[in-house]
Amino acid sequence: MKCSKNTLGLVLKVCECVGESLDESKAGDENNKELLQLITNMHEVARRIGEGVTNFGVMLYPPLEASTNEEELEQWQSTKASKTSRLDGEMDIPSLGSTSLGLQLEHQLHALAECVICIKKSELTTVTGEAIQTCYSDEVNDAVKKLMEAIPVRCKDSVGGVTSWCA
């Protein structure tokens, strides 16, 4: 939950940094379009993370009667191998079983890792031709570093938690 919250905060900060690097005098410029597309992509990832953490939270509190789409979880299970390739070997997200809770948590961990790695490895450039990471604030760089360390720790915690919950 905390990694989800921190990743959502990171996405907002990245979008702010990228937005500040846009050159308003070149509104139709290809570089500006790519930067705006990055903001759009970050918004989409943040939406998925927000929905995922909500679905996971609902599963932890059964009286809310989770309406998690079982088809969505089945689809996740069948496509997770291709999702793993998006992590570029930066992180190893463990399999958390085939229960709804395990699949939802695994899906969430993949979304978090994918988001942070995307921010870290973006190949876009600013209007001055510098790597987009140069416009990130120190706060963004620190958050990326901390989340790159925290997500694998949470993965290990998740394996233990799901294992004991399913036992």
Side-chain angles (χ1 to χ4, degrees):
M1 294 277 190
K2 187 174 181 180
C3 282
S4 296
K5 176 187 76 84
N6 290 341
T7 302
L8 290 172
L10 173 62
V11 167
L12 289 173
K13 290 174 188 156
V14 167
C15 289
E16 183 179 334
C17 291
V18 171
E20 289 173 357
S21 74
L22 290 170
D23 187 347
E24 292 178 20
S25 66
K26 298 180 182 178
D29 180 55
E30 192 63 33
N31 193 50
N32 273 359
K33 288 179 183 177
E34 289 176 354
L35 293 173
L36 289 170
Q37 185 62 48
L38 175 65
I39 292 172
T40 301
N41 294 348
M42 288 287 101
H43 176 269
E44 179 61 26
V45 169
R47 186 188 60 74
R48 285 196 318 262
I49 290 170
E51 288 174 356
V53 77
T54 300
N55 290 342
F56 179 66
V58 167
M59 287 181 164
L60 293 175
Y61 190 67
L64 291 178
E65 294 183 25
S67 61
T68 302
N69 187 343
E70 293 297 325
E71 287 178 21
E72 187 177 313
L73 290 177
E74 287 174 18
Q75 182 183 11
W76 159 250
Q77 194 168 19
S78 66
T79 62
K80 69 181 175 180
S82 66
K83 303 276 188 191
T84 301
S85 67
R86 288 194 209 165
L87 303 181
D88 293 332
E90 289 272 335
M91 269 185 227
D92 183 31
I93 307 297
S95 175
L96 297 174
S98 59
T99 65
S100 294
L101 184 66
L103 288 172
Q104 184 64 49
L105 183 54
E106 188 178 338
H107 185 270
Q108 186 68 6
L109 290 168
H110 268 273
L112 294 171
E114 188 179 335
C115 179
V116 176
I117 291 168
C118 176
I119 291 168
K120 178 183 175 191
K121 290 189 157 194
S122 178
E123 295 179 2
L124 293 177
T125 58
T126 64
V127 291
T128 60
E130 298 173 299
I132 193 67
Q133 289 83 355
T134 60
C135 81
Y136 293 170
S137 66
D138 289 341
E139 191 176 14
V140 167
N141 290 321
D142 289 343
V144 167
K145 183 180 176 193
K146 287 178 183 175
L147 285 164
M148 288 293 291
E149 293 169 359
I151 293 170
V153 171
R154 297 302 157 244
C155 287
K156 289 177 186 171
D157 293 347
S158 299
V159 169
V162 169
T163 302
S164 65
W165 182 76
C166 294

